[in-house]
Amino acid sequence: MTDVVNAGLKRGHGPQVRVPLSKRRSLIFTAGALLLMLILWLAIPVVHFEDAVSPVLFSAEGRLLGARTAADGQWRFPPGERVPERFSRVLVRFEDKRFFAHPGVDPLAVARALRQNLRTRKVASGASTITMQVVRLARKNRPRTYFEKLKEAVLALRLEARHSKREILSLFAAHAPFGGNVVGIDAASWLYFGRSPDELSWAEAAFLAVLPNDPGLPATAQGRILLLAKRNRLLEKLRANGAMPALECRLALAEPMPTGLRTVPREAPHLLDTLAARPGAAPPFRSFLAADLQRTVRRVVEQHGARLVDRGIRNLAAVIIDNRTAAIVAYVGNAGLERREEHGQNVDILQSRRSTGSILKPFLYAAMLKEGGITPATLVPDTPTRFEGFRPENFDRRFRGAVPARTALAWSLNVPAVRELREYGIPRFENRLRQWGMTTLDRPPDDYGLTLILGGAEGKLVEIAALYAKLAELASGAPGGGREVRLLRDDPEAPSKMRDLGAASAYLTLQALTAVSRPDEEGFWRNFSSSKWLAWKTGTSFGLRDAWAVGVTPNYTIGVWAGNADGEGKPGLTGLGAAAPVLFDLLGAIDGGGEIVRPRSGLKTLRVCRDSGYLATDLCPAIDVTVPEESRFDRMCAFHQTVHLDASGRFRVDSRCEPVDKMRHESWFVLPPVQEYYYRTDHAEYRPLPPFRADCGGGPAGERGSRVMSLVYPEPDMSVYVPVGLDGKVGQVVFEAVHRESGATIHWHLDENYIASTRVFHQIGVAPEPGPHRLVLTDDEGRRLVRDFQVVSPVRRGDR
């Protein structure tokens, strides 16, 4: 047995020792636990900085436009991505010159501190490294005891194990105190010097490097003297160590120290508040606002705001969009923040829902152009009209009979717009507006009805201006149809939601808007309008509560709103009178970029009737009009007809009273009687049809009634509502007709019962029962006009 053991020892195996299984498991468990503890020790964050940060807004150039204190009342700007090199160098030289060499605790500094403290028998030096100071800041500056120092040292070692030196520097710079309620290098740099940390001079960087060591020094005159001495000693050390040239040191020593905090800019206060209130807001907010332009726009808005206040118009807002970059470059949410009286000046009007007035009309025009509903020259009726109880009127309460579609848009006529919307379809148009970017259309289409085009909807100025900017992008031939308008640099780029409209429709729409009448056109604006190309539109809501003006140039889109935030209406509160003057003043502050030129493709030419704008027939004098390539416009002109005249040309005749070989045959432009009645007022060149010669009689009476008479109300296939008063009594509905012959008499019959006769002014009041009815009109020549209609409003006979 001994020999076997010796043999094993000789072979180098040694004695075989067996470890019990339970003991092996215990060792493995202990080792695992220790490893887990080590991992947790390294992985669990050492410092937690969860302090709220200040909402901060920067311009496109990186200039500070505004800021608010954080929720805890501190000026704590969101930290930058890195600590500027200059500040990093002076900070390390002053606070912890061996920072990049030690592991979080500086043994030499600890030995020095112990020696000084023992000699003075008090805490004269703390030996805190920058890393330890970061730990103390995270622990909210707990009482400075030896035990607390020991904890800081241990945590500093852990912090160094998890973070790079640059990251630790960034933590210190972001959370160090800089006097008063200023926290962090970013806030300190802007509030003391009005510039970003990257732009600090040597003297400024040195001032901020020494300040966290005793942040209360700027509060007193003696403290400022000590602070200046500290700064200058640091600058001399930097020169002595070769960190800065001697000349730069002399210049830095000559720089004065700041006497206090600067006033925080308030160039876009409403935008800052709006951004800060967004769910999940993450400052800093880096915008596309151009600082100088923003200041100019704010000054113009304030000047006009002060003028409008005297007229009882207390709120004003404006926005400018750069069409080339699809970015908002000026944003003034309201005026009058400095006024003592509170009249909604804190409301960000750009983000508020306001009645749109007629500001949406160009988009209906553009959609109908593209899809072939109209051409720019197509005549649209402008006559008194009722639609199921809704009677639209033009702003000037006049009717023009019929106007070309582009003129109706340029003059912002309400009646033609309502007729166009009825033809195009309310749900279809509302869906278009939603697709193009309006977020305020949150009701069913039937709730808006035909008032959708006249202000029945609500819109935000920032979104309305964006719609016009996208129109300009399209018309200018932006690649891919343009982009969605952005406010912040962090906003993702997206293709324009309006690109399906096409460049041709956008261009033709803007061309129509160049003909809008300027305010005070007989004076200054007439001269001005010739100097800059501008497509623009105004809008006024019902009750004179909202005034809009939007202008488009190749480079920029300007949007203006004027009114009262509480919805109070005021005389003179119109787009032309209140908002347009602001628009034109702002136009002077930008480079419009010339003129939007005709697209190279996407347009085609149609041959249309000169008088009606419908496709020309052999009877029409024809002209060429430009329409989008996709247009399917196919309506032939029905307004020109061949008229048979006698030899004198003064009377119409037919074969019953005049030989055909003695007749003169002419093409005649003839509007329906109701359109003609109003059209003739503004068109002296319009020629009414000559009367029939006495011996002709005008042909069969029943066939001629619709040619000489028209019913203004009720219209064909219309439901009639009879009003009922608050007292329950039934009112009357007014029927109205026109006759081509001014002195004619019309005899009215309802359901074969004679009602009345009218002459000159053909209106009667009736209260028909619910249900179907037939209205028959006859004149003294026996010509008849028949109209069937339905009464849907209940009428109680006992209340008559």
Side-chain angles (χ1 to χ4, degrees), residues 292 358 397 403 479 504 531 552 619 663 776 779 787:
D292 291 338
S358 59
R397 289 179 167 75
V403 289
S531 65
V552 173
L619 300 175
M663 294 180 187
V776 179
D779 64 7
R787 177 69 43 83

Side-chain angles (χ1 to χ4, degrees), residues 143-334:
R144 302 180 71 175
T145 65
Y146 284 110
F147 182 66
E148 182 64 26
K149 275 287 180 183
L150 180 60
K151 281 205 267 187
E152 288 177 5
V154 173
L155 291 173
L157 293 172
R158 284 187 55 198
L159 186 61
E160 291 267 354
R162 288 207 55 193
H163 294 277
S164 69
K165 292 289 187 179
R166 290 293 176 186
E167 289 172 339
I168 293 170
L169 273 179
S170 295
L171 286 172
F172 178 82
H175 299 283
F178 286 88
N181 61 342
V182 180
V183 178
I185 181 64
D186 290 88
S189 180
W190 283 107
L191 294 176
Y192 281 109
F193 301 109
R195 57 176 60 95
S196 74
D198 292 312
E199 299 172 321
L200 292 173
S201 67
W202 281 108
E204 293 164 348
F207 169 84
L208 294 179
V210 303
L211 189 53
N213 184 258
D214 194 349
L217 288 178
T220 65
Q222 185 62 32
R224 288 192 289 275
I225 294 173
L226 293 174
L227 191 57
L228 178 62
K230 279 187 170 187
R231 185 202 74 169
N232 291 347
R233 281 197 300 271
L234 177 56
L235 290 171
E236 290 287 4
K237 288 180 180 179
L238 291 168
R239 180 193 59 76
N241 292 337
M244 63 184 299
L247 177 59
E248 286 191 35
C249 182
R250 287 199 300 272
L251 293 174
L253 291 169
E255 282 189 35
M257 281 203 323
T259 57
L261 299 180
R262 292 169 171 253
T263 301
V264 178
R266 298 187 72 197
E267 296 300 337
H270 297 92
L271 175 58
L272 179 59
D273 288 345
T274 293
L275 293 173
R278 284 181 175 178
F285 305 115
R286 303 194 181 278
S287 72
F288 289 99
L289 301 189
D292 291 338
L293 179 61
Q294 173 70 16
R295 191 171 295 111
T296 298
V297 173
R298 188 160 179 258
R299 175 178 52 79
V300 170
V301 169
E302 290 293 344
Q303 289 173 349
H304 280 274
R307 173 181 59 82
L308 291 171
V309 163
D310 295 335
R311 296 163 51 187
I313 303 169
R314 298 180 291 270
N315 303 107
L316 182 64
V319 62
I320 298 182
I321 299 171
D322 190 326
N323 301 331
R324 298 160 296 182
T325 59
I328 294 174
V329 293
Y331 186 114
V332 179
N334 212 326

